[in-house]
């Protein structure tokens, strides 16, 4: 009973925080209209690609998505003005952005794994964008959709369906096959494309001396690995290898467009300097893919890792996927680490061509 009460209290707490954010943002937008930024007014006659809902928090997976989104747009479409609107500024800047829009402009929504009821505030802001800019082409960068089967999950899915289906200018992109099928089922096949996570459009490979083992484990709601197992595995690794580093793709730091690349290079250099990375994070696996780093990746609580691996990365022989149900003991993992260290003849499979459908779609957006 105590566990149920704690879960209920947690849901109420987050619901109140969500309401507080939406309410304050609404006051700023409707009543006060506090936004002295003249950026959009100055470029209203230029063609714009605006990425909205980018993060300021320290999740380096989300930050890598924002970095890749910017690079993807600026490198593939050099006749445009690129602009970024952080999650916190979406509602605040809405009026000024809308006034600046012209034919040919495109609004992009930050990609990731938050289309669902687990990160509900993210979904609520995405709904606002889809509803408020319904006369402008909107493209949601590659996402995982994951609404729970609970009463709340079904209720929130229906809210999302109502808003998304009412926007004829919306394109969704699924980053793995289960999300692709789910999105087609709920929103219609014409509204959905299928590409990898946008971070897989990056190439961060370099010749770097590699030494030791790096672990990168999560400690949140998405974890599937047993905490005791992780602790025992790290202890065994430290007994066998001289250098074992413990890292994470989440840091306690505010990250903006100004310091994003610097912080990403820190984690990428850590990964590139390791012989083997052991992780249960999707972007831990993806960072290994874009740096050509041997990797052992464990399944997480939902489908995003296993599907991303099977859809896009299984032909990269330096990435080893392990279902948590198949783990016998830590010795099994140590044995795989040894096999990887003794075999450096890896096969690599590129992902850049998988983004051609998105490039083609953007190129066909009418400018006049």
């Amino acid at each position: 009973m105590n566990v149920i009460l704690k879960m209920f209290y947690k849901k109420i707490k987050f619901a109140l925080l969500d309401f507080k954010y939406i309410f304050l943002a609404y006051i700023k937008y409707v009543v006060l209209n506090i936004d002295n930024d003249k950026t959009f007014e100055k470029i209203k006659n230029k063609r714009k690609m605006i990425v909205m809902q980018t993060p300021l928090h320290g999740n380096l997976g989300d930050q890598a998505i924002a970095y890749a989104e910017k690079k993807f747009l600026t490198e593939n479409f050099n006749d445009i003005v690129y602009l970024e609107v952080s999650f916190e500024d979406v509602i605040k800047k809405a009026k000024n952005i809308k006034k600046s829009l012209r034919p040919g402009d495109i609004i992009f929504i930050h990609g990731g794994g938050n289309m669902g009821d687990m990160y509900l505030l993210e979904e609520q802001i995405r709904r606002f964008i889809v509803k408020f800019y319904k006369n402008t082409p909107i493209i949601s960068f590659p996402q995982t959709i994951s609404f729970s089967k609970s009463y709340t999950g079904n209720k929130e899915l229906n809210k999302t369906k109502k808003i998304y289906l009412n926007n004829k200018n919306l394109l969704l992109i699924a980053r793995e096959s289960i999300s692709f099928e789910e999105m087609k089922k709920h929103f219609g096949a014409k509204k959905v494309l299928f590409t990898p996570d946008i971070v897989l459009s990056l190439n961060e490979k370099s010749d770097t001396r590699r030494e030791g083992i790096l672990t990168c484990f999560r400690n949140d709601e998405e974890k599937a690995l047993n905490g005791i197992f992780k602790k025992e595995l790290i202890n065994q690794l430290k007994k066998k290898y001289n250098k074992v580093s413990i890292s994470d793709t989440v840091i306690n730091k505010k990250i903006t467009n100004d310091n994003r690349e610097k912080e990403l290079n820190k984690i990428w250099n850590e990964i590139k300097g390791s012989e083997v990375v052991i992780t249960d994070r999707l972007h831990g696996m993806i960072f290994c893919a874009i740096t050509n780093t041997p990797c052992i990746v464990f399944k997480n609580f939902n489908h995003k890792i296993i599907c991303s691996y099977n859809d896009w990365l299984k032909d990269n022989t330096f990435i080893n996927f392990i279902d948590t149900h198949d783990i016998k003991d830590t010795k099994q993992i140590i044995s795989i680490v040894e096999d990887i260290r003794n075999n450096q003849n890896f096969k690599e499979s590129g992902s850049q061509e998988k983004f051609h459908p998105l490039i083609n779609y953007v190129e066909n957006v009418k400018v006049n």
Side-chain angles (χ1 to χ4, degrees):
M1 181 60 73
N2 287 338
V3 174
I4 295 172
L5 286 172
K6 284 180 181 178
M7 289 175 64
F8 177 73
Y9 172 75
K10 188 177 180 182
K11 286 183 179 293
I12 292 294
K13 180 182 175 183
F14 282 117
L16 289 172
L17 287 172
D18 288 357
F19 174 77
K20 179 181 176 183
Y21 175 84
I22 295 290
F23 177 74
L24 291 175
Y26 180 81
I27 292 296
K28 285 181 180 180
Y29 162 62
V30 177
V31 181
L32 302 176
N33 193 23
I34 300 172
D35 184 18
N36 298 317
D37 188 352
K38 304 296 182 184
T39 302
F40 293 97
E41 183 180 333
K42 291 175 183 176
I43 57 168
K44 64 182 179 182
N45 294 321
K46 297 181 179 180
R47 191 184 184 204
K48 300 172 285 297
M49 292 189 181
I50 306 168
V51 179
M52 293 191 174
Q53 210 172 347
T54 57
L56 296 176
H57 53 67
N59 185 314
L60 295 174
D62 284 336
Q63 293 293 344
I65 290 172
Y67 175 82
E69 289 164 347
K70 179 179 180 180
K71 198 165 187 179
F72 179 84
L73 294 178
T74 54
E75 290 185 356
N76 286 293
F77 311 100
N78 53 16
D79 61 334
I80 57 99
V81 175
Y82 169 88
L83 292 159
E84 187 175 311
V85 181
S86 72
F87 176 87
E88 284 78 359
D89 283 341
V90 167
I91 296 179
K92 176 184 171 184
K93 294 183 180 296
K95 277 188 176 180
N96 284 343
I97 293 172
K98 199 169 192 178
K99 288 177 187 175
S100 76
L101 295 174
R102 48 156 267 186
D105 290 346
I106 304 175
I107 289 172
F108 292 83
I109 302 176
H110 180 68
N114 54 36
M115 187 179 288
D117 58 311
M118 175 172 277
Y119 305 102
L120 191 52
L121 185 52
E122 300 276 357
E123 182 60 26
Q124 288 168 336
I125 297 299
R126 186 163 35 246
R127 290 173 192 158
F128 172 84
I129 295 168
V130 172
K131 193 172 183 178
F132 190 77
Y133 300 100
K134 64 185 298 182
N135 294 320
T136 299
I138 298 175
I139 298 172
S140 176
F141 270 115
Q143 270 279 355
T144 289
I145 184 171
S146 183
F147 284 91
S148 68
K149 303 302 181 186
S150 67
Y151 170 79
T152 300
N154 288 324
K155 184 176 75 170
E156 296 300 332
L157 173 58
N158 287 331
K159 288 180 184 178
T160 290
K161 285 173 70 172
K162 183 178 179 181
I163 292 170
Y164 287 16
L165 290 170
N166 198 36
N167 186 326
K168 66 182 190 309
N169 294 309
L170 173 65
L171 178 75
L172 303 172
I173 307 173
R175 65 180 180 178
E176 27 71 21
S177 52
I178 287 182
S179 289
F180 186 47
E181 295 305 319
E182 284 291 298
M183 288 183 188
K184 286 192 295 180
K185 180 174 78 173
H186 295 305
F187 311 116
K190 290 182 179 179
K191 278 190 180 293
V192 188
L193 287 183
F194 184 40
T195 77
D197 185 292
I198 197 67
V199 179
L200 283 168
S201 67
L202 298 175
N203 182 349
E204 297 297 327
K205 303 176 185 71
S206 63
D207 291 327
T208 307
R209 181 175 175 272
R210 297 182 183 274
E211 181 185 5
I213 314 300
L214 180 72
T215 66
C216 181
F217 292 126
R218 68 188 314 142
N219 290 294
D220 60 10
E221 298 93 333
E222 295 190 36
K223 67 182 178 182
L225 269 183
N226 181 285
I228 296 172
F229 176 85
K230 282 191 289 186
K231 188 175 181 180
E232 175 63 19
L233 175 60
I234 291 169
N235 287 338
Q236 292 301 319
L237 289 167
K238 287 180 175 179
K239 286 180 183 178
K240 188 167 181 65
Y241 303 107
N242 292 329
K243 184 180 179 184
V244 176
S245 303
I246 298 171
S247 187
D248 199 356
T249 58
V250 175
I251 60 175
N252 186 23
K253 188 174 187 177
K254 182 177 181 178
I255 301 177
T256 68
N257 193 19
D258 296 328
N259 65 341
R260 181 181 292 142
E261 186 171 3
K262 177 183 175 182
E263 295 300 330
L264 287 171
N265 279 324
K266 287 180 185 177
I267 186 70
W268 289 339
N269 288 334
E270 260 192 292
I271 288 170
K272 285 188 276 190
S274 303
E275 292 175 82
V276 183
V277 172
I278 306 174
T279 186
D280 60 351
R281 286 193 175 274
L282 173 65
H283 284 98
M285 175 178 73
I286 289 175
F287 289 174
C288 289
I290 65 175
T291 60
N292 261 20
T293 301
C295 168
I296 296 172
V297 58
F298 297 103
K299 183 181 184 297
N300 72 325
F301 90 112
N302 66 14
H303 57 267
K304 69 182 184 182
I305 289 181
I306 187 170
C307 285
S308 295
Y309 172 79
N310 286 329
D311 293 334
W312 313 112
L313 296 175
K314 66 181 179 182
D315 291 333
N316 293 276
T317 58
F318 58 90
I319 296 178
N320 299 264
F321 175 81
I322 299 178
D323 193 319
T324 48
H325 296 106
D326 296 333
I327 300 172
K328 297 173 184 174
D329 51 34
T330 57
K331 292 179 182 177
Q332 177 190 2
I333 309 305
I334 301 290
S335 176
I336 297 171
V337 171
E338 278 299 286
D339 289 344
I340 293 171
R341 292 177 77 243
N342 294 328
N343 174 25
Q344 296 298 314
N345 296 317
F346 298 119
K347 178 185 173 186
E348 176 192 356
S349 176
S351 297
Q352 275 72 18
E353 74 282 356
K354 308 289 195 317
F355 294 96
H356 288 168
L358 174 55
I359 293 171
N360 293 337
Y361 185 93
V362 174
E363 286 176 341
N364 287 322
V365 171
K366 292 181 181 179
V367 177
N368 298 313

